[in-house]
Amino acid sequence: MSDLATAFARDGAVLVQGALTSAEVERLAAGIDANLATPSPRALIASKPDDPGQFVEDFRCWQDNAAYREIIFTSRLGEIAAGLMGSRTARLHHDHMLTKLAGTRQATPWHQDQPYYNIAGRQNVSFWIPVDPVPRQASLEFVAGSHLGPWLMPRSFMDKQAKWFPEGTLAELPDIDAEPSAYDVLGWAVRPGDAIAFHMLTLHRAPGSAALRRVFSARFIGDDARHAVRDWATSPDFPDLSETLPDGAPFDGPLFPLIWPEIDK
């Protein structure tokens, strides 16, 4: 873990091989399929109507999805998260299902995650866990070290609107694709059971997928995480959370269960 934690601190993204057992992968796949069959009210289609495939996302389903709860609470993810973050604790912030059906052309553009969230603090990690094999050309890509830089303007993926921070308040994303040789881009082929772990400020993107690509993401926060109240709906949104969790407060309560150490289990 020490080598992975060092690489995570340096690059902002690492491949964690064998993060889940084969039985856990099977259980997680069943959970994703159940989620796809019965989406929550928060689900959305993140691809255009003329896309031959479809990009389906859903958020904050762990309380209703038994398989998601099992993976979050009983797998090694919480322990791994704490080690990568250099945190005594690992608390779940939210879960996120991302499925690209076979033939999906819609790419996920370069972006950071944390500006879309209600999180202040540096100790955080997201796990991107596919239950289908993902070749390198269909996998996430990251700009190594970008988590050490500034926050960049979050925009809606389809129409590039600034729906979160007001225009001009954050630096704009650089045109990475125009000069790819100027950036250290990381990416890995991922087998079921492996997980890509990345910091919420690491610039990343994902291409479309020729084959079915079912992914579960669990997003953890550490000791220094604090609630950042926004004047807009975050992604995912936590309606009325500021009424019970004021700005600057540590995340606590049933929405954000403590996963590591195991005292909440």
Side-chain angles (χ1 to χ4, degrees):
M1 176 59 74
S2 60
D3 289 345
L4 277 179
T6 298
F8 182 80
R10 180 190 66 229
D11 296 333
V14 294
L15 176 65
V16 183
Q17 295 179 314
L20 298 184
T21 67
S22 58
E24 288 169 338
V25 171
E26 185 176 343
R27 181 73 170 126
L28 183 55
I32 293 174
D33 289 342
N35 193 172
L36 290 168
T38 310
S40 83
R42 297 169 294 280
L44 57 87
I45 303 300
S47 51
K48 296 178 180 179
D50 62 351
D51 197 310
Q54 194 174 66
F55 182 19
V56 185
E57 297 184 77
D58 208 347
F59 307 84
R60 297 181 51 210
C61 295
W62 68 270
Q63 289 171 304
D64 300 312
N65 188 305
Y68 290 177
R69 286 198 306 277
E70 183 177 322
I71 296 304
I72 290 166
F73 281 91
T74 68
S75 75
R76 296 175 54 233
L77 290 178
E79 181 181 5
I80 295 169
L84 292 175
M85 293 187 293
S87 174
R88 293 178 299 103
T89 63
R91 189 176 292 274
L92 179 72
H93 185 265
H94 71 276
D95 60 281
H96 184 184
M97 182 270 289
L98 312 96
T99 292
K100 289 187 176 179
L101 302 182
T104 300
R105 289 197 305 250
Q106 181 67 46
T108 304
W110 289 107
H111 67 286
Q112 298 168 313
D113 282 343
Q114 195 166 351
Y116 296 89
Y117 298 163
N118 62 345
I119 301 171
R122 289 287 309 173
Q123 288 175 309
N124 61 69
V125 62
S126 292
F127 291 100
W128 191 83
I129 310 168
V131 298
D132 305 295
V134 180
R136 171 65 179 85
Q137 66 269 22
S139 189
L140 285 184
E141 293 188 314
F142 302 88
V143 175
S146 54
H147 64 305
L148 304 174
W151 286 40
L152 300 170
M153 178 61 76
R155 293 187 177 275
S156 55
F157 290 171
M158 303 278 272
D159 55 10
K160 309 300 182 186
Q161 298 300 305
K163 297 180 179 179
W164 293 273
F165 290 82
E167 289 279 9
T169 57
L170 292 178
E172 290 294 337
L173 189 77
D175 190 351
I176 298 166
D177 294 329
E179 197 178 0
S181 62
Y183 301 90
D184 183 8
V185 175
L186 304 176
W188 302 271
V190 186
R191 299 172 300 179
D194 295 345
I196 295 177
F198 62 98
H199 193 278
M200 293 176 184
L201 284 179
T202 307
L203 278 166
H204 61 287
R205 70 170 179 185
S209 185
L212 175 64
R213 195 212 69 184
R214 295 168 295 169
V215 172
F216 178 76
S217 188
R219 308 188 188 277
F220 291 90
I221 48 179
D223 300 334
D224 75 349
R226 296 294 182 270
H227 184 206
V229 173
R230 307 298 188 194
D231 294 329
W232 51 85
T234 56
S235 177
D237 194 17
F238 292 86
D240 304 320
L241 180 61
S242 61
E243 296 179 6
T244 57
L245 195 68
D247 188 59
F251 285 94
D252 199 0
L255 283 179
F256 310 104
L258 187 66
I259 307 301
W260 182 263
E262 304 179 44
I263 58 175
D264 274 12
K265 297 182 186 178

